[in-house]
Structures are given as structure tokens and as C-alpha cells.
């Protein structure tokens, strides 16, 4: 039978993290316990940020003296919301276009694939970088427009593959006997969508969304290595960072996890906690989502397996005993 | 004639798709507080790009491309790709055989272990390797593993291992899955009934039968390898092919250079796809004969 135990546990975990992050202003310190210098009793400076993990600072502090665990808790909502909304938009647009292509214009599928052929041969990270360059040097624009631009690009990158997938699956479903007989009895395309495809679309839609969340998380993280942060970059740079060439190092404006990884990835020789804390957090997020994905995949595939098993049972050959044609049978042998 | 026309039409589509994708930022201008859409500017640039592509006699043509150290860096990147690919195939095959002949209980654990790596993000692996090498250096004071590509040095060992770590598990997972399905085939049962040993069946019969599938799967492996190489070369500051690519993007290289670079980068994918096409054609051919 279908079981959704892991899905329920995983999504409630994600929801709890999201809620905690959204409600952060209610309970967390607004300045993330910022403390750059430590003085002794006489008022002399004995140490300066960043501090390594300790009892006081659970995951250490950033160069700016902010507690890493508070920063992470504050920033995770942007990561989750962005990944989720990008995935949902990809699946909605891709799914609709895919179904339209498959039902009304099957000849278009070839041309659609040709048009987006580039995306099949160039790793998506390269395309994403080329398309994201305008946001690296913005001239005083609102964050909302930067974020909108980024979301559009992220949705666009995943759109062709989702569309082709959706069209393929719809093609497969159209070949099944129940859809064929529905057509024979005079059903129109809309009726087919409503009655026959919708139940499948729900399960496949959820599975696609989860897969797309994973790929979005990956690409956000890879983009951040190239200083293309979700939510724009803070041009003042990281506090107290000395570049040998005197350039300010761009910092993520939103404290979003991928951005935290990207802005600090050069620092891990001296302060590994600043990079490894968000990186491991990201890993945990991906693990949870992957767990959900596995279970959903098993459910969809498992149902098909069960059906074939049932069929096989019916096709069992008749027991040999019935084929006796002799005049008498031995009852006990 | 009809075929020629359709081929022309399709290549025109590919070209227009390419132009559309790479000029998308021009349609979506970032306004002060909203994203603006302007098509006229987009159209102008697209026309310019097209003209530029066909103006081969111009002196400016591929000017930046000629200045860069293309051949050396391309050789380096492609040799990393090739070495990792051969390494991955060999190690994955050997490990697969070892896992398949392991006792049942251990096999399940091993399979779960392989499946675990599916979720690991590539950046985590790169960071861990970097961290490992540097702490090794700190502990021993020996610099026997080169990590960064400063002063024109091109390290091989660590980049290759870092790049091929995750694709190895990807291929291994695929191999295990395919061979487990292959075990349900009738011929395996038949061979077993004839009294031929498990190892012999696996090595001689089953691997030969799944070879075409492996060739088809190699496309994904190369794809992952390419994007991993890109990340690693950026993070280790190695002067590889992708570095030239970044220079072309950021220093406003002309459109033709970009096209040339992208074509060179996707060459391995094209090669493996051609191989996959040949193999699948051959399978279909033999199936038709056997029917």
C-alpha cells in the first residue's frame, strides 16, 4: 500500500524550520548578538571576532561578530521559499505547456526540443551564470526587481526539461487502454484531462515539484560560489575582510544559506565553521527532501508493480489435475 | 528535398533558440522597482549577433579568443575529463562486481551506502577534499598534494579525484540497478541451471548484455563531470578552459568567441551522444533480426 510516513515527517520538519525562521523577529535578537570585540575587566581588548564555536556562540560567529546559528535561523526562510516557489512555478508552466503540446500539437514537441537544444549540451550552471550577470553589477535598483529577475531566470532554466518530461508522461498515459476507450466513446480533450489525467497529474506533479526543489537548491548553491547571490549582493562587502588586491568581497544581502556558503567559501582554512555550518545545514535540507522524493518515487513505481503482480496472478495456468482425461483418477496416491 | 528543408528549418530553430536563451537578459531589463520587458533592444542585439557570426573576414572576429591560451587550457580540461571518465568506468565496474558477489546481508548495506551518496551536494565534496588536503598539509608540513593552480601550475591528482567522486557513485548506483534487473532475465536462470558459476555468469554474460545501457548512461556522467570541473577550476583557481570562458563572459568577449567556447565545451557530450546513437541503432538492428 502507499505509505507517506517519511513524506509527512520530512515536510513537517521543513515546515517547522520555515515557521521558526519566519517568526524569528518575535524571539531572536535583531542584531544576531553582534559583538566584535571582547574586553577584560580593565576594559582592554583581548579578542576580536570571528570567534570559534563555544558554549556562548554555538556555531561560532561571523567576521562581523554575529552568531552563526541566529544568522542561519534567520536566513533559511529565503532559501526554502525561493526553492519551493521556483519549483512550483517550473512545474506549473512546464506541466501546462507539456500537456498542451502532447494533446493538441504533438508535432511541436520535436521543434520545442530543437529550440531548447542548447540547454541539453551546456551544463545549466554555465547558462545560469551567463543569464545572471546583469544582477552582479546593478545600479541602485530595488531588491524586489532583482529577486523577480532571478526567479524568472531560475524558472526558465528548468522549464524545458519539465515540459519535455510532462509531454512524455502525457504521451504514455494517452496510450493506455482506458484513455483510448474514453476517446472511442467520444470524449474531448478537456474531458480526458479532467477525468483521466488529473489523478495522475497530482501524484506526478508533487514528485516533479520535489525533484525541482532539489535541482533548484543545487543551482542556487553553485551560483553563490560565483558571487551571484539570491537577493542581491551587499556592495560594502564582508566586514573586516582583507583582500590581497583590495577589492571588497561581496556579501549576500539576505543571509540566505547558499549565499552564506558562497560569500565565505574562501575562508574555510582559518574559520571552517563559517562555511561548514551553512553547508551542513544545506546538506540536511537536501537529505530531507531527497528522502521525500525517494518515498514518492517508490509509491508511484510501487503502484505499477502491484498492478503487474495482480495481473500475473490471474494469468496462472490451470492446475494440471483438471486436465486428466482418463477414465478414473487416483484419489490417494 | 523535403528532408533537406526540414533539416534547414530545424537548424534555424536551434540557432534561434540559442540566440534567444543567451539574449534573454536583454528582454528582462532590471528596472528601478520592477522587471521591464523590452523587445526592440533584444531584437537589435540579436540582429547584431547574427551579423557578427557570419562576418568571418573581419579582423575583430574572434580577437579575444585568439589572445587567450585556448589550446593549452583545453587540453588540460579535456585530459582531466578523460582520465576521470576512464577511472570512473573502471572503478565502478570493479566495485559493482565486488558488491554483486558479496554475501546477501553485506550487499544490502553496500547498496544503501551507495544510494546515500545520491543526495550529497557536489560543493560539500569539493569543500571536504579541500579541507582534507589542507589539514594534511598542516599536520605533516609536506606539500605532496597540489591543490591550487597558482603561478601557472596545473595540478592533476586532487582535481581528478574531487571531480570524479560523485559521478562514480552515480554510475555505480546505475550499474547495480541495471544488473539487478538483468538477474531476473530467463537466460541467467538457464545459465545457472547449466551449472555455470555466479562470477562467470556475471563477468561474461551479464556485463556484455548491459554494455549498451552503460554507454547511454555515460552521457549523464560526462554532464555531471563537466559542471563539476567548472566548479573545481573556479574554486581551486586553476587556469583551465573554464577560466578562459569566464574571461570571455566578463570581459565582454564577442559573441562568436562565446559560441566557439561553448561548442568546444560540449564536444565530449556530442561524441558520447553519437556513440550512444550508434549503439542503440545496433541494438535495434539485432532485435529486428532476432524477431
Amino acid at each position: 500500500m502507499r505509505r507517506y510516513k517519511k513524506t509527512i515527517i520530512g515536510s513537517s520538519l521543513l515546515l517547522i524550520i520555515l515557521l521558526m525562521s519566519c517568526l524569528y523577529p518575535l524571539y531572536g535578537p535583531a542584531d544576531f548578538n553582534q559583538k566584535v570585540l571582547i574586553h577584560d575587566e580593565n576594559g582592554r581588548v583581548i579578542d576580536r571576532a570571528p570567534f570559534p564555536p563555544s558554549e556562548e556562540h554555538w556555531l561560532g560567529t561571523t567576521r562581523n561578530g554575529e552568531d552563526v546559528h541566529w544568522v542561519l535561523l534567520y536566513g533559511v526562510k529565503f532559501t526554502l521559499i525561493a526553492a519551493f516557489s521556483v519549483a512550483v512555478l517550473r512545474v506549473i508552466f512546464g506541466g501546462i505547456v507539456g500537456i498542451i503540446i502532447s494533446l493538441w500539437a504533438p508535432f511541436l514537441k520535436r521543434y520545442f526540443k530543437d529550440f531548447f537544444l542548447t540547454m541539453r549540451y551546456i551544463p545549466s550552471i554555465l547558462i545560469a551564470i551567463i543569464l545572471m550577470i546583469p544582477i552582479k553589477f546593478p545600479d541602485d535598483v530595488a531588491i524586489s526587481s532583482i529577486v523577480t529577475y532571478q526567479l524568472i531566470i531560475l524558472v526558465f532554466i528548468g522549464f524545458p526539461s519539465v515540459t519535455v518530461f510532462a509531454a512524455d508522461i502525457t504521451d504514455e498515459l494517452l496510450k493506455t487502454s482506458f484513455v483510448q476507450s474514453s476517446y472511442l466513446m467520444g470524449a474531448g480533450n478537456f474531458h480526458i484531462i479532467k477525468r483521466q489525467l488529473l489523478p495522475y497529474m497530482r501524484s506526478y506533479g508533487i514528485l516533479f515539484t520535489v525533484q525541482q526543489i532539489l535541482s533548484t537548491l543545487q543551482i542556487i548553491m553553485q551560483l553563490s560560489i560565483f558571487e551571484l547571490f539570491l537577493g542581491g549582493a551587499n556592495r560594502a562587502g564582508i566586514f573586516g575582510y582583507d583582500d590581497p588586491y583590495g577589492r571588497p568581497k561581496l556579501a549576500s544581502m539576505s543571509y540566505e544559506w547558499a549565499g552564506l556558503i558562497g560569500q565565505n567559501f574562501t575562508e574555510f582554512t582559518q574559520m571552517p565553521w563559517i562555511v561548514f555550518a551553512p553547508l551542513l545545514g544545506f546538506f540536511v535540507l537536501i537529505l530531507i527532501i531527497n528522502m521525500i522524493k525517494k518515498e514518492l518515487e517508490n509509491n508511484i513505481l510501487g503502484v505499477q508493480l502491484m498492478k503487474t503482480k495482480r495481473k500475473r496472478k490471474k494469468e496462472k495456468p490451470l492446475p494440471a489435475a483438471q486436465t486428466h482425461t482418463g477414465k478414473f483418477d487416483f484419489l490417494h496416491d | 528535398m523535403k528532408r533537406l528543408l526540414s533539416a534547414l528549418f530545424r537548424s534555424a530553430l536551434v540557432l534561434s533558440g540559442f540566440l534567444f536563451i543567451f539574449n534573454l537578459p536583454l528582454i528582462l531589463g532590471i528596472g528601478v522597482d520592477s522587471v521591464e520587458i523590452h523587445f526592440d533592444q533584444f531584437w537589435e542585439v540579436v540582429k547584431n549577433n547574427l551579423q557578427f557570426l557570419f562576418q568571418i573576414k573581419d579582423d575583430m572576429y574572434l580577437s579575444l579568443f585568439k589572445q587567450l591560451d585556448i589550446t593549452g587550457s583545453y587540453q588540460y580540461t579535456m585530459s582531466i575529463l578523460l582520465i576521470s571518465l576512464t577511472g570512473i568506468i573502471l572503478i565502478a565496474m570493479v566495485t559493482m562486481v565486488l558488491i554483486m558477489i558479496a554475501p546477501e546481508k553485506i550487499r544490502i548495506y553496500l547498496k544503501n551506502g551507495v544510494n546515500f551518496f545520491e543526495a550529497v551536494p557536489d560543493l560539500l565534496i569539493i569543500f571536504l577534499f579541500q579541507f582534507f588536503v589542507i589539514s594534511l598539509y598542516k599536520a605533516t608540513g609536506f606539500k605532496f598534494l597540489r591543490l591550487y593552480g597558482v603561478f601557472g601550475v596545473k595540478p592533476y591528482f586532487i582535481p581528478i579525484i574531487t571531480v570524479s567522486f560523485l559521478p562514480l557513485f552515480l554510475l555505480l548506483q546505475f550499474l547495480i540497478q541495471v544488473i539487478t534487473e538483468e538477474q531476473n532475465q530467463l537466460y541467467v536462470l538457464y545459465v545457472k541451471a547449466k551449472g555455470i558459476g555466479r562470477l562467470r555468469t556475471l563477468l561474461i554474460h551479464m556485463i556484455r548484455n548491459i554494455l549498451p545501457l552503460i554507454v547511454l548512461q555515460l552521457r549523464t556522467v560526462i554532464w555531471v563531470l563537466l559542471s563539476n570541473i567548472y566548479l573545481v577550476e573556479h574554486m581551486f583557481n586553476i587556469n583551465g578552459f573554464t577560466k578562459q570562458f569566464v574571461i570571455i563572459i566578463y570581459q565582454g568577449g564577442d559573441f562568436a568567441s562565446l559560441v566557439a567556447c561553448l561548442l568546444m565545451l560540449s564536444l565530449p557530450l556530442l561524441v558520447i551522444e553519437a556513440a550512444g546513437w550508434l549503439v542503440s541503432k545496433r541494438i535495434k538492428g539485432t532485435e529486428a533480426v532476432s524477431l
Side-chain angles (χ1 to χ4, degrees), chain A residues 1-45:
Chain A
M1 274 314 290
R2 294 187 196 197
R3 290 216 192 92
Y4 290 106
K5 210 166 109 197
K6 284 182 186 169
T7 312
I8 292 168
I9 294 175
S11 39
S12 43
L13 266 176
L14 292 181
L15 208 66
I16 289 171
I17 296 174
L18 185 66
L19 271 181
M20 276 172 72
S21 176
C22 284
L23 298 177
Y24 181 83
L26 293 182
Y27 62 88
D31 61 346
F32 310 110
N33 278 340
Q34 190 184 22
K35 196 162 50 172
V36 183
L37 302 170
I38 289 185
H39 306 273
D40 62 358
E41 298 102 50
N42 307 327
R44 279 183 307 179
V45 177

Side-chain angles (χ1 to χ4, degrees), chain B residues 53-96:
Chain B
L53 269 184
F54 296 112
Q55 244 171 23
I56 300 177
K57 280 179 188 166
D58 199 336
D59 284 343
M60 285 294 288
Y61 197 72
L62 295 179
S63 56
L64 190 64
F65 192 71
K66 281 167 192 159
Q67 285 168 24
L68 295 171
D69 172 30
I70 292 291
T71 38
S73 54
Y74 189 67
Q75 242 169 18
Y76 171 72
T77 303
M78 284 303 129
S79 57
I80 282 198
L81 182 74
L82 266 182
I83 297 172
S84 342
L85 193 64
T86 27
I88 287 172
I89 294 172
L90 285 177
I91 298 175
M93 287 288 218
V94 172
T95 325
M96 185 267 288

Side-chain angles (χ1 to χ4, degrees), chain A residues 110-111 114-127 129-131 133-137 140-142 144-146 148-149 152-153 156 218 221-222 225-226 228 261 265 268-269 272 275-276 279-280 283 286-287 290 293-294, chain B residues 6 9-10 13-14 16-18 20-22 24-25 28 30-35 115-116 118-124 127-128 130-131 134 138 148 173 219 223 226-227 230-231 234-235 245-246 249-250 258 262 265-266 269-270 273:
Chain A
R110 249 171 75 191
Y111 300 129
D114 283 347
F115 191 73
F116 288 106
L117 190 78
T118 323
M119 296 238 188
R120 284 193 60 210
Y121 287 98
I122 299 165
S124 47
I125 172 74
L126 286 184
I127 295 182
I129 289 172
I130 294 174
L131 295 185
I133 283 175
I135 59 132
K136 196 160 183 184
F137 313 103
D140 297 329
V141 289
S144 63
S145 59
I146 291 181
T148 324
Y149 179 82
I152 292 175
I153 295 294
F156 174 76
Q218 294 267 14
M221 190 163 61
Q222 294 177 350
I225 293 289
F226 296 89
L228 297 161
I261 298 171
F265 89 91
F268 74 102
T269 43
V275 193
F276 276 103
L279 197 61
L280 289 176
F283 180 44
I286 289 180
L287 269 188
N290 202 47
K293 185 189 105 179
K294 277 248 164 99
Chain B
S6 112
F9 181 62
R10 289 178 76 174
L13 259 183
V14 173
S16 56
F18 185 84
F20 173 73
I21 290 168
F22 285 99
L24 193 69
L28 305 167
I30 302 179
V32 174
D33 39 30
S34 65
V35 172
N115 285 343
F116 170 79
E118 185 193 32
V120 181
D122 33 14
L123 278 183
L124 184 65
F127 272 122
L128 284 179
Q130 230 174 339
F131 195 66
I134 285 176
K138 272 184 183 166
Y148 294 108
Q173 194 189 19
R219 185 186 193 277
W223 174 271
L226 274 180
S227 49
Y230 191 67
L231 285 173
H234 177 80
M235 287 173 70
F245 187 80
V246 170
I249 296 174
Y250 279 112
L258 183 69
L262 288 176
L265 204 64
S266 54
L269 277 175
L270 283 172
E273 201 144 274

Side-chain angles (χ1 to χ4, degrees), chain A residues 53-316:
Chain A
S54 61
E55 256 176 58
E56 214 178 321
H57 316 282
W58 295 346
L59 296 174
T61 72
T62 60
R63 273 183 187 273
N64 207 0
E66 295 157 334
D67 272 348
V68 171
H69 63 274
W70 289 127
V71 171
L72 287 184
L73 201 56
Y74 171 79
V76 68
K77 59 180 173 238
F78 300 112
T79 315
L80 284 177
I81 292 173
F84 185 74
S85 46
V86 167
V88 167
L89 286 175
R90 277 181 187 179
V91 171
I92 288 177
F93 288 129
I96 289 176
V97 175
I99 287 171
I100 289 175
I101 284 181
S102 169
L103 275 176
W104 279 280
F107 64 94
L108 265 184
K109 196 165 137 192
R110 249 171 75 191
Y111 300 129
F112 184 86
K113 275 185 186 169
D114 283 347
F115 191 73
F116 288 106
L117 190 78
T118 323
M119 296 238 188
R120 284 193 60 210
Y121 287 98
I122 299 165
S124 47
I125 172 74
L126 286 184
I127 295 182
I129 289 172
I130 294 174
L131 295 185
M132 287 278 190
I133 283 175
I135 59 132
K136 196 160 183 184
F137 313 103
D139 323 303
D140 297 329
V141 289
I143 295 177
S144 63
S145 59
I146 291 181
V147 173
T148 324
Y149 179 82
Q150 285 173 323
L151 290 186
I152 292 175
I153 295 294
L154 285 176
V155 170
F156 174 76
I157 287 169
F159 166 75
S161 66
V162 175
T163 310
V164 173
F165 255 132
D168 283 346
I169 285 180
T170 319
D171 280 350
E172 281 293 306
L173 287 175
L174 287 183
K175 279 181 202 155
T176 52
S177 51
F178 55 88
V179 175
Q180 289 296 330
S181 39
S182 208
Y183 269 126
L184 280 177
M185 288 192 282
N189 279 342
F190 282 110
H191 183 82
I192 296 283
I193 290 179
K194 211 168 75 184
R195 291 282 152 200
Q196 321 281 16
L197 299 184
L198 205 62
Y200 282 93
M201 272 195 256
R202 262 183 231 137
S203 51
Y204 277 116
I206 293 172
L207 179 63
F208 274 11
T209 314
V210 176
Q211 284 169 348
Q212 292 302 320
I213 290 177
L214 272 183
S215 80
T216 314
L217 283 178
Q218 294 267 14
I219 200 126
I220 292 176
M221 190 163 61
Q222 294 177 350
L223 275 176
S224 75
I225 293 289
F226 296 89
E227 294 186 329
L228 297 161
F229 304 127
L230 200 69
N234 184 349
R235 249 187 287 167
I238 299 171
F239 178 83
Y241 181 83
D242 300 315
D243 189 271
Y245 305 105
R247 286 174 304 201
K249 188 152 168 49
L250 297 179
S252 162
M253 200 109 99
S254 58
Y255 290 118
E256 178 265 326
W257 281 14
L260 289 178
I261 298 171
Q263 75 179 40
N264 296 319
F265 89 91
T266 47
E267 314 223 18
F268 74 102
T269 43
Q270 288 136 37
M271 301 161 283
W273 62 90
I274 299 183
V275 193
F276 276 103
L279 197 61
L280 289 176
F282 224 95
F283 180 44
V284 171
L285 278 190
I286 289 180
L287 269 188
I288 293 175
I289 296 167
N290 202 47
M291 184 177 81
I292 298 174
K293 185 189 105 179
K294 277 248 164 99
E295 198 182 48
L296 291 176
E297 270 174 358
N298 278 340
N299 278 338
I300 289 182
L301 292 176
V303 169
Q304 280 170 359
L305 270 182
M306 261 169 51
K307 274 181 189 166
T308 49
K309 263 185 194 166
R310 224 179 283 153
K311 261 185 207 166
R312 263 183 215 160
K313 266 183 195 166
K314 276 180 196 166
E315 286 165 4
K316 255 187 188 169

Side-chain angles (χ1 to χ4, degrees), chain B residues 173-191:
Chain B
Q173 194 189 19
F174 174 79
L175 282 178
I176 292 175
Q177 189 197 340
V178 169
I179 213 105
T180 319
E181 276 169 24
E182 192 77 9
Q183 269 177 337
N184 298 328
Q185 297 271 359
L186 280 178
Y187 77 87
V188 179
L189 202 65
Y190 176 69
V191 164

Side-chain angles (χ1 to χ4, degrees), chain B residues 1 49 58 118 138 141 157 160 268:
Chain B
M1 189 63 199
N49 280 341
D58 199 336
E118 185 193 32
K138 272 184 183 166
F157 187 66
I160 285 175

